Amino acid sequence: MHEKILIIDFGSQYTQLIARRVRESEVYCEIVPFNNVPEIGNDIKGIILSGGPSSVNDTDAPYLDTQKYAAKAPLLGVCYGAQLLAKQNGGNVEKSDKREYGRAHLEIRELSDKLMHQISNYSQVWMSHGDTIRSIGNNFELVAESDSKVVAAFRAKENVFENEVYALQFHPEVYHSTEGQKILNNFLFDVCGCKHSWTPASFVEETIASLKTQLQNDHVLLGLSGGVDSSVAALLLHKAIGKNLLCVFVDNGLLRKNEFENVLVQYEHLGLNVVGIRAGNLFLSELAGVSDPEQKRKIIGRVFIEVFEEEAKKHPEIKWLAQGTIYPDVIESVSVKGPSATIKSHHNVGGLPERLKLKIVEPLRYLFKDEVRRAGKELNLHPDILNRHPFPGPGLAVRILGDITPDKVATLQEADDIYISNLKSFGLYDQVWQAGAILTSVKSVGVMGDERTYESMVALRAVNSTDGMTADWSRLPNEFLAKTSNDIINNVRGVNRVVYDISSKPPATIEWE
């Protein structure tokens, strides 16, 4: 059993960031919704209560018995979690006169406190709450205030609970809390006694052992995409079950230019048993006339399953379908009352139709993208695949705004190929986390030679990120953008305008659909 930190989610936009910060410290953690918390076993070294958009004073506010969980493991409440601890222990939480949002500075009252060990007095933190803790109750003692005399941190008095309990009314997980990682580390190591046990090597070793136990001598079908996620999943499964793994790479007609052929060549060197299936006509016919992005994703997910189903019929020995699902896919596709709302459906999340009669195995289900890359490096995955930009599962379908036609796909493939090729020739590809071209539904007037044109607009997107949960637009050089725009307009028929997207996530998403 791997030691872990349990993060109980009350719907904060920052919950995933808490998980990222914990894992950066080489401690494993999982996020669970407040209304579906599993039994707390001996593997739980500590519990973090997340923030959330609700008020603890609302009649339908998310509820959790904090005393019950404080009896199981050390507890850290963040924002809403801190307010819940205060309210349930005789404190007073009231609506703020004005919303406290933005930078604040700590005035530490207890310099010897474990949570504040080696934290600078007047350290910058990030506040984001509509309610304020006016009093913390008799079970707690103040550790720090903000420079505006707002309760910032408090702890349980000795022997009040079975375990140590701390609370922060600011967000240590965000970038603007300059020593937030130190504060979280103090909780992880000094309070909870965690070890640095979550490493790429340990993940690879434990996952292979777990897959051997789970799968035994069963046969597995894996859908490859050519990206790092499915490739790492394939290598883990290959090491666990060898030739019992059959990999299928489907050309859905929405791949990048020449990608089907190039990827098959790359996989030849990995020793995997790979079958390539051309199914572009099937996908495009099913997508004909469909403009809604959510419907596109659902259609593509369904057709992928149908293609795998047909392949599985040829191999009656297969009992499992493996997928390269990663944690952000799972988080963004889950919606319950309170925790993070569904942003978009993912084609590889949500289970299988009963008729397929295959069980599902997802070796990467609890990894963030950067953790997948580290595991791939541990497995000696070729750099060309390891460093490949993320590419959406539905492919170019979500980079073509509006309905999809073969002509539109061909246009976008050409524009995208120029964009990616230029990134590589300028030495910029590895400096960008993800890039792609989007064929918009906008047409605009242009002039080519002496003739008026009325053609399509292509948008270029490039972002920097670590895990895809947040992202900032990449500051690409003007000379690169100028050349790429010129190359696309001169060489791609039907395009007369190129723009560059400078939106960050949030509030935008990385993909346009």
Side-chain angles (χ1 to χ4, degrees):
M1 241 182 334
H2 212 295
E3 68 174 28
K4 74 175 81 164
I5 295 292
L6 193 69
I7 301 170
I8 298 178
D9 180 23
F10 291 99
S12 171
Q13 61 180 317
Y14 299 133
T15 301
Q16 294 83 12
L17 280 179
I18 298 175
R20 287 297 307 116
R21 299 295 176 251
V22 171
R23 293 195 187 182
E24 283 170 11
S25 295
E26 297 181 339
V27 175
Y28 181 66
C29 65
E30 288 182 15
I31 299 171
V32 297
F34 75 91
N35 54 4
N36 191 21
V37 181
E39 285 297 314
I40 307 299
N42 294 332
D43 56 332
I44 304 296
K45 300 288 286 183
I47 299 170
I48 298 177
L49 308 179
S50 85
S54 302
S55 166
V56 293
N57 295 317
D58 291 344
T59 53
D60 60 347
Y63 174 80
L64 193 81
D65 183 350
T66 56
Q67 290 200 7
K68 170 185 172 182
Y69 291 98
K72 301 287 187 179
L75 208 61
L76 173 65
V78 175
C79 201
Y80 183 89
Q83 293 167 359
L84 198 62
L85 281 165
K87 183 176 175 64
Q88 291 183 5
N89 287 276
N92 182 28
V93 181
E94 297 178 357
K95 192 164 189 65
S96 304
D97 298 331
K98 61 179 181 178
R99 191 162 184 263
E100 290 165 341
Y101 181 85
R103 293 173 178 83
H105 295 88
L106 292 182
E107 292 184 358
I108 301 173
R109 301 292 181 225
E110 291 288 339
L111 293 172
S112 61
D113 180 72
K114 281 185 184 178
L115 204 63
M116 295 294 153
H117 180 59
Q118 294 188 333
I119 302 301
S120 311
N121 205 8
Y122 215 66
S123 181
Q124 178 181 288
V125 296
W126 187 261
M127 295 281 190
S128 179
H129 53 89
D131 288 352
T132 295
I133 300 170
R134 300 296 185 192
S135 64
I136 57 177
N138 293 330
N139 287 341
F140 296 112
E141 53 193 0
L142 187 67
V143 171
E145 293 177 310
S146 73
D147 47 349
S148 57
K149 303 305 177 189
V150 171
V151 172
F154 55 95
R155 69 186 179 199
K157 293 178 180 176
E158 198 169 350
N159 299 324
V160 170
F161 302 104
E162 291 183 46
N163 293 284
E164 294 179 84
V165 176
Y166 285 87
L168 304 171
Q169 201 172 199
F170 60 88
H171 289 274
E173 68 274 19
V174 303
Y175 171 79
H176 300 295
S177 292
T178 53
E179 294 183 283
Q181 186 73 56
K182 275 190 190 178
I183 293 172
L184 288 174
N185 285 349
N186 287 342
F187 177 71
L188 297 175
F189 302 113
D190 295 347
V191 177
C192 299
C194 293
K195 301 180 180 68
H196 295 273
S197 59
W198 180 245
T199 64
S202 69
F203 168 78
V204 168
E205 182 182 347
E206 291 167 16
T207 301
I208 292 170
S210 174
L211 289 170
K212 285 180 178 178
T213 301
Q214 181 183 12
L215 302 173
Q216 301 290 324
N217 293 318
D218 287 352
H219 288 250
V220 177
L221 179 69
L222 168 67
L224 285 172
S225 69
V228 65
D229 298 339
S230 64
S231 300
V232 171
L235 286 177
L236 288 167
L237 286 160
H238 182 66
K239 287 184 177 294
I241 61 172
K243 293 182 179 179
N244 284 5
L245 172 67
L246 174 64
C247 299
V248 175
F249 181 43
V250 178
D251 178 4
N252 62 359
L254 298 160
L255 302 174
R256 284 178 156 145
K257 184 179 178 181
N258 299 325
E259 187 170 15
F260 184 68
E261 298 80 5
N262 293 340
V263 168
L264 286 178
V265 170
Q266 286 178 324
Y267 281 131
E268 283 179 8
H269 306 295
L270 295 178
L272 299 173
N273 181 19
V274 182
V275 173
I277 300 176
R278 290 194 180 274
N281 290 338
L282 175 61
F283 280 87
L284 292 177
S285 65
E286 291 288 319
L287 288 165
V290 176
S291 296
D292 179 71
E294 189 70 3
Q295 194 178 352
K296 288 180 189 176
R297 289 176 180 273
K298 291 184 184 300
I299 290 170
I300 290 167
R302 171 179 60 79
V303 178
F304 263 121
I305 292 295
E306 290 171 359
V307 171
F308 291 143
E309 184 177 23
E310 285 302 308
E311 187 62 30
K313 285 179 183 176
K314 303 174 188 175
H315 305 275
E317 72 279 6
I318 289 174
K319 295 183 178 173
W320 297 81
L321 177 66
Q323 297 186 149
T325 309
I326 62 173
Y327 211 19
D329 298 340
V330 176
I331 293 166
E332 288 193 345
S333 295
V334 172
S335 178
V336 297
K337 185 180 181 297
S340 311
T342 298
I343 307 299
K344 58 191 175 186
S345 295
H346 287 264
H347 74 286
N348 56 343
V349 177
L352 299 171
E354 288 184 13
R355 72 175 188 277
L356 197 51
K357 296 187 173 131
L358 293 180
K359 294 176 282 187
I360 201 163
V361 56
E362 297 169 316
L364 310 177
R365 187 176 178 86
Y366 294 106
L367 289 192
F368 288 97
K369 175 68 77 171
D370 56 318
E371 294 176 313
V372 177
R373 291 192 194 281
R374 289 200 289 270
K377 190 172 183 181
E378 185 70 25
L379 288 162
N380 297 314
L381 184 62
H382 194 281
D384 285 349
I385 299 177
L386 187 65
N387 298 323
R388 184 178 185 260
H389 289 178
F391 188 65
L396 298 180
V398 292
R399 292 182 178 175
I400 297 173
L401 307 191
D403 67 320
I404 298 167
T405 66
D407 285 345
K408 288 182 180 180
V409 173
T411 297
L412 183 55
Q413 283 177 330
E414 292 298 329
D416 181 79
D417 185 59
I418 290 170
Y419 182 31
I420 299 302
S421 296
N422 281 356
L423 280 171
K424 291 177 178 177
S425 64
F426 273 73
L428 296 169
Y429 185 84
D430 291 335
Q431 296 179 32
V432 170
W433 191 75
Q434 181 172 344
I438 297 95
L439 183 62
T440 75
S441 53
V442 174
K443 291 201 171 194
S444 67
V445 173
V447 177
M448 290 188 179
D450 294 323
E451 295 183 4
R452 175 188 184 275
T453 63
Y454 188 64
E455 295 178 335
S456 296
M457 179 175 76
V458 164
L460 305 180
R461 182 73 159 140
V463 298
N464 289 87
S465 180
T466 55
D467 52 35
M469 300 306 298
T470 61
D472 193 16
W473 62 278
S474 302
R475 273 66 171 173
L476 296 178
N478 289 343
E479 58 270 21
F480 165 81
L481 292 172
K483 183 177 189 308
T484 301
S485 172
N486 192 60
D487 288 350
I488 290 173
I489 291 170
N490 285 343
N491 292 284
V492 182
R493 186 176 295 277
V495 176
N496 69 353
R497 190 178 298 269
V498 174
V499 298
Y500 187 54
D501 182 352
I502 59 169
S503 310
S504 295
K505 177 186 180 181
T509 53
I510 296 174
E511 298 295 338
W512 280 35
E513 290 191 341

